Amino acid sequence: MTTKTAVMSFCRLLIGLALVLPSIVNGYKLRYHDESFTPDVVLRVTESSISRACSTRYSVLINGTAPGPEIRLRQGRTYWIRVYNDMETQNLTMHWHGLSMAASPFSDGSPQASQWPIAPQYFFDYELHPDVGDAGTYFYHSHIGFQAMSASGPLIIEDDDPPYQYDEERIVHLSDLFLKTDEEIETGLTTPPYVWSGETNNVLVNGQGLPLNTGARDGDNECSLATILVEPEKVYRLRFIGATALSFVSLAFQGHNNLSIIEVDGDYTQPLEVDYLQIGPGQRFSVLMRTKRREELEEDRANGINQYFLQIETRERPISVRSYAVLIYPGGSYNVSTAPANPPITLPSTALGWLDYELRPLTPNNFPTLAEVTRRVTVTITQIVNNTMVTFLQNGFPWTESFPPMPYLVALYNEEMSLFPSYESAVNNGGMDNRTRTFPAKLGEVLEIVIQMTGQGNGILNVHPFHAHGSHFYDIGSGNGTYDLVQNEERLKGTEPVRRDTTMLYRYTRSGIAGATLGWRAWRLRVTNAGVWLAHCHILQHMMMGMQTVWVFGDRNDVLRLGYPAVKGYLSYGGEAYGNSSRWPTCVHYWDDDDD
């Protein structure tokens, strides 16, 4: 080795050590994620044709599949998940639906709020730290356009000591199948003239299903119903994940109506017996189901029943779609290539306000009383229909990919202080700062948030599953017309509202009457997690049509608590926090257990 070569090698070594060794920046560590850094999970996102339900569609896939692989993490630990955008032209983010990213603000995966998207052929390392108490059922999904229709997967936070006993568990991941491409749907919804996506072509279970029409197979593609394998005389935890793009569904098992809800949206509940579920996009439920005794199975088989169907039906759409999966016991014959000619179950119509005042937390959850509420904010949802477009507004404004021109948190860190909302203006304006189209709140406040549906002309009304990033809220119910504080307080007497992250704004009439209030959903929220957080309808089409907004929790020092040098790599598209084939990323480590 020559002297010159040795000197250059030594210099590179010094530079590498300087980057690898942690730099303390406002209590956080800045680290270089080179070849010595090993992420806990790797997700590679691609796009290609895939066959599902005997139909071929060009789709966004995670590790080559739809849904993506199941991820299991433990609460109270730090994980790094590396997400590669292996697509040629599309941007990407990944959102960890239901988990708070309060300590890792650039890891929330919302491109309109928290981070620049991952550019094609780049990758991004997400830091996740599920808190103790987060054990439950979640999922991850892209937050770009219509990608989440196929780009999603189960995310389970495991409990060290589950409060309920069961033998095994099964995941039931529900997703829609649209035969139009993502690009066709996005263009129709966001570019004049407006073209609706159409209704879902199928509701899939764990990515599987049969064509809804007999013989409607795409070429020689084979397909089958999803199977849920169980054994007799056992208790199963069934984790239902509502990863649908549009479909609000009702479902039940043939011959098994002994379901007990024990968890909703990542929070344990007191057991509540039900015989069916209603699940909207973004919602999750865990239920316990005791399987049949051997004697019951023998009796059913003597009567010609060898398998039991999970029956799924969409609700609140112009066309109802029915699909199935199969519950299978060992020893019986079964057929997964044919759906029943006649539905084995009669599922009920939509139950408006289903379980709103019936669910109870398993343990006390610090629910804020009315006396603790410091401020009430009403978010008024309006649908605007004109000759060329259909748009959703919150308090008179939409939030789309064209507003703001960069992720909101990035804009604030880039010293665009003119974009920081005025708390005083918002308070004087019912909660929204019109200049920034955001809803600010101070840490320590207790908000009562009312999402109020209103009519506009002849617009067709829909159900809206509203999801909040950043923290769980306490759901305090829903109803028709205008929110009535006194009346709802009467309803709340004797109840213990549970914490949720996605709840349903129902429709009580089919079409809008201009200016009329046509239903509400209300939450209470303790403002504790500083940051910039999206709140939006989780129907993908509605999000693209403007039904989302941003909440800013905390003052400037709270929100921008990291110094500029630490976050510099996050503040530009393709910045140093994003890696590619020729560059390792430099990342902020927010948690101190990353060497464990």
Side-chain angles (χ1 to χ4, degrees):
M1 179 184 293
T2 66
T3 303
K4 181 177 180 181
T5 302
V7 170
M8 291 178 64
S9 297
F10 182 69
C11 289
R12 282 197 296 267
L13 175 63
L14 288 179
I15 293 171
L17 287 173
L19 289 168
V20 172
L21 292 174
S23 303
I24 305 302
V25 183
N26 290 347
Y28 304 96
K29 300 175 183 178
L30 192 63
R31 295 198 172 191
Y32 188 53
H33 285 192
D34 63 4
E35 63 272 2
S36 67
F37 175 82
T38 303
D40 299 282
V41 179
V42 174
L43 301 178
R44 303 205 76 120
V45 179
T46 57
E47 51 185 340
S48 64
S49 293
I50 186 174
S51 176
R52 297 195 297 169
C54 285
S55 296
T56 300
R57 182 185 188 274
Y58 196 71
S59 301
V60 177
L61 308 176
I62 302 176
N63 289 10
T65 65
E70 174 186 321
I71 297 175
R72 286 186 172 264
L73 310 177
R74 301 197 74 84
Q75 56 183 354
R77 301 182 187 179
T78 301
Y79 298 86
W80 285 89
I81 300 181
R82 176 164 292 175
V83 178
Y84 286 90
N85 181 0
D86 291 334
M87 296 184 286
E88 293 294 332
T89 59
Q90 294 198 61
N91 286 325
L92 172 74
T93 64
M94 201 62 70
H95 172 57
W96 318 98
H97 184 104
L99 291 182
S100 169
M101 294 293 113
S104 308
F106 294 103
S107 287
D108 188 52
S110 51
Q112 288 100 330
S114 65
Q115 72 164 123
W116 283 110
I118 309 168
Q121 305 301 307
Y122 278 69
F123 65 87
F124 185 80
D125 290 344
Y126 288 91
E127 184 183 28
L128 275 65
H129 184 95
D131 290 331
V132 173
D134 280 348
T137 307
Y138 303 84
F139 70 114
Y140 62 93
H141 62 81
S142 168
H143 222 293
I144 299 282
F146 208 67
Q147 293 177 3
M149 191 214 72
S150 56
S152 73
L155 173 61
I156 308 302
I157 308 302
E158 296 183 323
D159 202 324
D160 296 327
D161 186 21
Y164 291 99
Q165 298 301 309
Y166 47 89
D167 296 297
E168 297 181 47
E169 61 180 62
R170 300 287 186 265
I171 290 176
V172 183
H173 180 282
L174 304 172
S175 60
D176 280 325
L177 174 63
F178 284 80
L179 298 185
K180 284 185 177 180
T181 66
D182 294 350
E183 183 179 6
E184 288 176 303
I185 292 172
E186 293 170 20
T187 299
L189 296 174
T190 60
T191 305
Y194 171 83
V195 179
W196 173 241
S197 64
E199 301 304 307
T200 187
N201 294 97
N202 214 322
V203 178
L204 307 178
V205 175
N206 298 335
Q208 293 181 260
L210 292 174
L212 300 182
N213 299 319
T214 303
R217 296 173 184 263
D218 186 352
D220 297 326
N221 288 330
E222 295 182 359
C223 57
S224 62
L225 296 174
T227 56
I228 303 170
L229 304 179
V230 296
E231 295 182 4
E233 300 176 7
K234 285 190 174 183
V235 176
Y236 286 84
R237 179 178 184 169
L238 305 176
R239 297 180 184 264
F240 289 89
I241 298 174
T244 51
L246 171 66
S247 295
F248 171 45
V249 304
S250 179
L251 59 83
F253 286 97
Q254 177 188 6
H256 298 72
N257 58 2
N258 57 335
L259 306 179
S260 179
I261 296 174
I262 61 164
E263 177 226 341
V264 295
D265 293 356
D267 272 40
Y268 281 114
T269 67
Q270 296 178 27
L272 181 63
E273 304 302 315
V274 297
D275 54 14
Y276 76 102
L277 295 177
Q278 287 184 179
I279 305 177
Q283 296 184 317
R284 291 93 60 216
F285 292 86
S286 278
V287 302
L288 296 182
M289 181 181 73
R290 183 174 296 279
T291 54
K292 288 180 174 287
R293 294 180 289 108
R294 289 177 172 81
E295 296 80 7
E296 293 177 296
L297 290 174
E298 291 174 2
E299 182 178 346
D300 283 349
R301 288 168 182 170
N303 292 321
I305 302 174
N306 289 288
Q307 62 186 16
Y308 307 88
F309 286 100
L310 169 61
Q311 183 172 315
I312 305 160
E313 295 177 0
T314 61
R315 292 288 182 261
E316 303 300 309
R317 300 301 310 165
I319 301 172
S320 181
V321 170
R322 181 183 296 120
S323 64
Y324 298 94
V326 182
L327 187 70
I328 295 177
Y329 288 85
S333 60
Y334 56 89
N335 178 8
V336 295
S337 61
T338 306
N342 298 302
I345 303 171
T346 300
L347 287 168
S349 301
T350 302
L352 300 173
W354 183 68
L355 304 185
D356 277 356
Y357 301 90
E358 298 176 52
L359 291 167
R360 303 284 187 274
L362 180 60
T363 57
N365 63 6
N366 197 26
F367 168 66
T369 65
L370 178 62
E372 295 177 81
V373 173
T374 58
R375 188 159 55 97
R376 186 168 295 104
V377 177
T378 299
V379 182
T380 301
I381 307 297
T382 307
Q383 184 183 33
I384 301 297
V385 181
N386 59 34
N387 293 331
T388 59
M389 291 301 296
V390 179
T391 308
F392 287 106
L393 311 180
Q394 291 76 221
N395 292 15
F397 296 97
W399 191 285
T400 65
E401 290 188 1
S402 62
F403 181 90
M406 66 176 64
Y408 195 75
L409 181 62
V410 169
L412 297 182
Y413 266 112
N414 275 327
E415 300 184 353
E416 295 288 344
M417 289 307 175
S418 62
L419 287 178
F420 205 95
S422 166
Y423 178 83
E424 291 72 21
S425 295
V427 169
N428 294 331
N429 191 45
M432 175 185 262
D433 174 54
N434 286 355
R435 180 176 51 83
T436 61
R437 306 187 192 181
T438 63
F439 291 82
K442 293 183 180 296
L443 296 183
E445 282 195 275
V446 177
L447 300 181
E448 187 162 283
I449 300 169
V450 180
I451 305 171
Q452 182 74 62
M453 176 73 76
T454 62
Q456 180 70 27
N458 294 321
I460 303 301
L461 296 183
N462 297 280
V463 294
H464 300 291
F466 266 86
H467 171 57
H469 293 219
S471 61
H472 283 61
F473 51 78
Y474 300 87
D475 188 85
I476 60 172
S478 66
N480 194 6
T482 305
Y483 177 68
D484 186 314
L485 168 64
V486 175
Q487 184 181 71
N488 202 50
E489 275 302 297
E490 284 297 313
R491 288 185 183 180
L492 289 172
K493 286 183 177 178
T495 70
E496 299 173 80
V498 298
R499 300 193 326 146
R500 302 290 300 271
D501 59 58
T502 312
T503 52
M504 191 67 64
L505 177 61
Y506 294 96
R507 67 172 180 177
Y508 291 84
T509 184
R510 299 287 174 175
S511 58
I513 302 169
T517 52
L518 302 169
W520 55 269
R521 165 66 63 183
W523 306 335
R524 283 188 190 153
L525 176 70
R526 295 187 183 276
V527 181
T528 56
N529 292 340
V532 170
W533 310 115
L534 276 182
H536 59 87
C537 175
H538 213 274
I539 290 175
L540 301 185
Q541 292 92 327
H542 295 171
M543 289 174 58
M544 286 185 282
M545 295 159 63
M547 192 180 282
Q548 53 188 342
T549 191
V550 163
W551 292 72
V552 180
F553 291 166
D555 60 23
R556 293 180 183 180
N557 291 334
D558 299 321
V559 175
L560 308 178
R561 59 190 180 278
L562 300 176
Y564 177 81
V567 301
K568 178 183 176 182
Y570 296 87
L571 302 185
S572 59
Y573 179 66
E576 293 176 359
Y578 297 77
N580 58 33
S581 60
S582 60
R583 184 185 77 200
W584 295 108
T586 302
C587 303
V588 174
H589 284 228
Y590 300 89
W591 295 91
D592 59 6
D593 66 337
D594 42 80
D595 291 323
D596 294 346

